Amino acid sequence: MVNNLVEVRNFEKSYGERKVVDKLNFTVADGEIVGMLGPNGAGKSTTIRMLTGIEACDAGELFFDGMTVKKDRKSIKMQIGLVPQDIAVYGDMSAYDNVKFFCSLYGFRGKELERRVQEALEFVALWDRRKDKPGKFSGGMKRRLNIACSIAHSPKLLIMDEPTVGIDPQSRNYILEAIKTLNRRGTAVIYVSHYMEEIEALCNRILIMDQGQLKVEEDKDALKERYKEEGCQTLEDIFLKITGTALRDEEE
Amino acid sequence: MTRFKVLFISNLKRRIMDGFSVGYNILSPLLMIWLLGLLCKNMYQDELLTSYQYYGVVTIPFCIIMSIITAAYAGKDDAFANTADRILLAPVSDAEIVCAKILAEMIVFAGCSLLVLLVVNVFSNIGSYKELGAIGLCYLSLSFVTACIGTFLGLGMKDFMKMKNILNIPVMIFAILGGCFYQFGTLNKPLQFVLNLSPLRWVNRSIFLLIYDKNCISFYRLNFVLIGIGGIFMLLAITCFKREEYGNGQLPGYEK
């Protein structure tokens, strides 16, 4: 039996009159990679912010590995990692110090902390550049450092918000392989992206959001099979079929 | 406590390396004391104290209060670096985030000010080292209030840029009324009352009473009041902490 690591029940969030997330329900199983898709303004970022506890939800509940946010907030936070869409590191600190700082916020100290920092930097192939500041890094290296800062505390769930935006194919390939490796080691991943081919290559299950609501939560292969009869050959075809082709110029 | 220590040390390093702290709390007061002392030298010929001694005492508290703007900016440090979400995601409380900022700012503002006082004292002999030590404590209390108010404004206010732009107006008015630029010893009673509205006047008066009249009572009262006000603003900063604002680094006109 598959164990649910994350269970979201009836998440709701409004900004003023505008409802950005509406009665959202989904699950993430232990050790799976879930792809989260949606046009701009679909409510993906807000969902992630609520999932990580950065923002409070207006209604709904989150269960994480049998724990609830109300009772076990700190324990849950210890087990979640977030790779934000923007590069979230301090420019005035070296790569090593950045990873060390964020990892130490999880309570790690001494040799254990040093080991974790080294492992994280080696994992993203930045150990040799650990003394350099991110300002000297290429786009791909910054993205890798962004990941290192998020995985040093060994989270059980890693949420990645468009981690490959604006980088060369080599760096993208490295990051995708790194995600697969992390997943093989037991980390569940929620992968948010507009790149369908990445979702297709990585994910076992697909969530499609639009206008604050979950439109699809289904196994990737089953979804593709279901829409094949309607003439959808690729994931992008399915996505456009579900969310429509009208432009979305809403604010994020 | 470990997480608080990590946040505190990181904030402290950032404040020490911050050009604002060094500029407004070391260079600016030194220049002002030198310039005002030089320009007003003749006005103090018949006084008990020299112009350098006077401006040495009144300029430093003014510069500490001016640091409200630095403290408000410090509240936005993590948002500017896009790292606020990472800190919010980590198992640290809002109170730890706020208190780490306040404590780091307080230490740096007070430390820089004490350094200026010691430098000025070498040249103009403001008081004994015992008195300077007491003044240092006053700087610590004043820095505490400044850090608390600044952090409260930086983390709790929705429209940071607007607030930051108008913040220096009341501080400058308080400085003028507090005698930071000219002495107001001979005004009539109604005008004296207006001057007393400036907190800087009370700070300056208490320091003068301590050094030249050896009167400690108002000095200790002042410190007590400052710590009390600081405590209130610290609680306000914690309770009014807005996670969305803490992470909002989209500030028009601010260059990273």
Side-chain angles (χ1 to χ4, degrees):
Chain A
M1 193 183 137
V2 184
N3 184 31
N4 276 343
L5 182 66
V6 179
E7 192 176 342
V8 171
R9 282 191 201 161
N10 295 316
F11 259 11
E12 282 187 37
K13 182 79 183 176
S14 299
Y15 294 121
E17 295 290 300
R18 192 167 150 246
K19 198 156 217 168
V20 284
V21 175
D22 189 14
K23 291 195 177 64
L24 193 70
N25 291 282
F26 67 88
T27 57
V28 178
D30 243 342
E32 75 170 338
I33 306 182
V34 175
M36 190 184 267
L37 293 167
N40 292 335
K44 303 184 299 289
S45 297
T46 309
T47 303
I48 288 172
R49 291 176 73 78
M50 291 192 293
L51 204 58
T52 50
I54 293 169
E55 225 169 284
C57 53
D58 296 340
E61 272 183 298
L62 168 71
F63 295 90
F64 188 96
D65 210 10
M67 299 181 281
T68 59
V69 176
K70 279 175 195 163
K71 280 185 188 168
D72 314 287
R73 193 182 176 84
K74 272 198 173 175
S75 307
I76 293 176
K77 281 185 158 205
M78 284 293 290
Q79 301 191 42
I80 299 180
L82 171 69
V83 181
Q85 190 177 345
D86 297 318
I87 306 294
V89 296
Y90 291 108
D92 57 352
M93 280 159 65
S94 69
Y96 186 90
D97 288 341
N98 264 295
V99 181
K100 189 178 171 188
F101 170 68
F102 291 115
C103 188
S104 57
L105 286 180
Y106 289 83
F108 297 106
R109 283 190 295 175
K111 291 258 183 266
E112 170 74 0
L113 175 65
E114 282 170 23
R115 183 186 63 78
R116 283 174 177 273
V117 176
Q118 183 171 351
E119 270 179 19
L121 282 168
E122 279 173 349
F123 184 73
V124 297
L126 283 176
W127 178 246
D128 293 340
R129 301 291 301 270
R130 64 188 178 277
K131 288 177 185 165
D132 291 340
K133 289 181 179 171
K136 289 180 179 173
F137 287 179
S138 68
M141 289 163 84
K142 282 179 189 169
R143 289 269 161 208
R144 272 148 49 206
L145 178 61
N146 211 25
I147 293 173
C149 292
S150 311
I151 60 167
H153 65 285
S154 310
K156 265 183 131 174
L157 172 71
L158 185 64
I159 302 170
M160 309 185 90
D161 192 359
E162 302 192 43
T164 58
V165 171
I167 55 172
D168 59 36
Q170 284 79 7
S171 294
R172 179 189 288 195
N173 180 57
Y174 190 94
I175 288 173
L176 296 182
E177 287 304 318
I179 295 166
K180 284 178 190 168
T181 308
L182 277 174
N183 182 245
R184 276 197 294 273
R185 291 179 187 173
T187 310
V189 179
I190 297 179
Y191 193 85
V192 182
S193 180
H194 288 297
Y195 298 124
M196 302 292 164
E197 71 277 12
E198 289 182 4
I199 298 276
E200 198 141 16
L202 279 175
C203 305
N204 320 107
R205 223 147 50 81
I206 309 282
L207 306 175
I208 298 180
M209 284 185 73
D210 195 16
Q211 293 170 337
Q213 292 176 331
L214 190 67
K215 301 287 182 189
V216 168
E217 182 187 8
E218 202 169 341
D219 180 82
K220 182 182 68 185
D221 296 329
L223 181 73
K224 284 173 79 177
E225 195 58 41
R226 191 155 66 86
Y227 276 87
K228 217 174 197 174
E229 293 161 11
E230 296 184 38
C232 298
Q233 298 300 318
T234 62
L235 197 57
E236 187 154 346
D237 294 337
I238 298 169
F239 178 75
L240 289 172
K241 180 100 182 167
I242 292 166
T243 58
T245 50
L247 288 174
R248 307 301 173 91
D249 294 330
E250 293 174 64
E251 284 176 32
E252 275 287 289
Chain B
M1 198 62 190
T2 311
R3 296 175 180 109
F4 172 77
K5 209 171 115 187
V6 170
L7 280 174
F8 164 67
I9 291 169
S10 153
N11 278 300
L12 189 66
K13 278 183 190 166
R14 193 152 286 114
R15 286 288 71 73
I16 291 169
M17 305 299 285
D18 184 1
F20 278 111
S21 306
V22 178
Y24 283 118
N25 293 94
I26 297 179
L27 297 178
S28 178
L30 279 174
L31 275 172
M32 280 174 71
I33 293 163
W34 172 71
L35 204 63
L36 287 166
L38 189 70
L39 291 171
C40 303
K41 204 173 178 180
N42 293 337
M43 286 169 63
Y44 288 80
Q45 275 177 343
D46 302 325
E47 301 284 341
L48 285 169
L49 73 169
T50 67
S51 58
Y52 291 104
Q53 285 171 327
Y54 178 79
Y55 287 110
V57 169
V58 299
T59 305
I60 300 171
F62 162 62
C63 288
I64 294 177
I65 290 198
M66 276 297 277
S67 303
I68 283 181
I69 298 169
T70 310
Y73 265 112
K76 286 284 173 194
D77 263 355
D78 308 315
F80 294 149
N82 288 327
T83 53
D85 281 357
R86 280 197 196 283
I87 293 170
L88 288 175
L89 177 65
V92 290
S93 65
D94 296 352
E96 283 174 315
I97 296 171
V98 172
C99 292
K101 282 196 183 290
I102 289 174
L103 191 62
E105 287 156 13
M106 180 184 87
I107 289 171
V108 172
F109 297 160
C112 290
S113 303
L114 195 60
L115 184 72
V116 173
L117 183 71
L118 290 172
V119 171
V120 174
N121 195 55
V122 170
F123 298 104
S124 58
N125 192 25
I126 289 174
S128 67
Y129 282 105
K130 196 179 162 191
E131 286 158 350
L132 295 188
I135 296 171
L137 280 179
C138 178
Y139 288 170
L140 208 59
S141 316
L142 195 58
S143 299
F144 175 59
V145 178
T146 303
C148 290
I149 297 174
T151 307
F152 164 65
L153 295 173
L155 293 177
M157 294 288 119
K158 199 122 184 119
D159 203 336
F160 175 78
M161 290 309 273
K162 239 184 230 173
M163 179 276 303
K164 184 220 72 167
N165 289 338
I166 58 166
L167 201 58
N168 51 6
I169 298 171
V171 176
M172 287 308 285
I173 293 170
F174 284 154
I176 293 166
L177 296 178
C180 293
F181 304 113
Y182 294 101
Q183 282 195 65
F184 294 103
T186 54
L187 292 175
N188 59 27
K189 273 195 171 174
L191 273 177
Q192 282 287 353
F193 171 74
V194 175
L195 301 184
N196 286 338
L197 293 176
S198 165
L200 273 170
R201 182 155 182 88
W202 292 99
V203 172
N204 295 339
R205 183 188 281 169
S206 299
I207 295 174
F208 278 122
L209 282 172
L210 175 82
I211 300 172
Y212 298 103
D213 290 355
K214 312 296 175 199
N215 179 349
C216 303
I217 297 165
S218 63
F219 182 79
Y220 289 124
R221 268 190 204 147
L222 171 83
N223 279 292
F224 185 72
V225 171
L226 287 175
I227 292 167
I229 295 170
I232 291 168
F233 273 97
M234 188 169 77
L235 286 176
L236 277 173
I238 294 168
T239 51
C240 297
F241 180 81
K242 288 189 175 74
R243 293 186 145 228
E244 293 85 353
E245 270 313 294
Y246 173 62
N248 176 20
Q250 305 297 319
L251 303 171
Y254 183 85
E255 298 294 326
K256 270 185 208 173

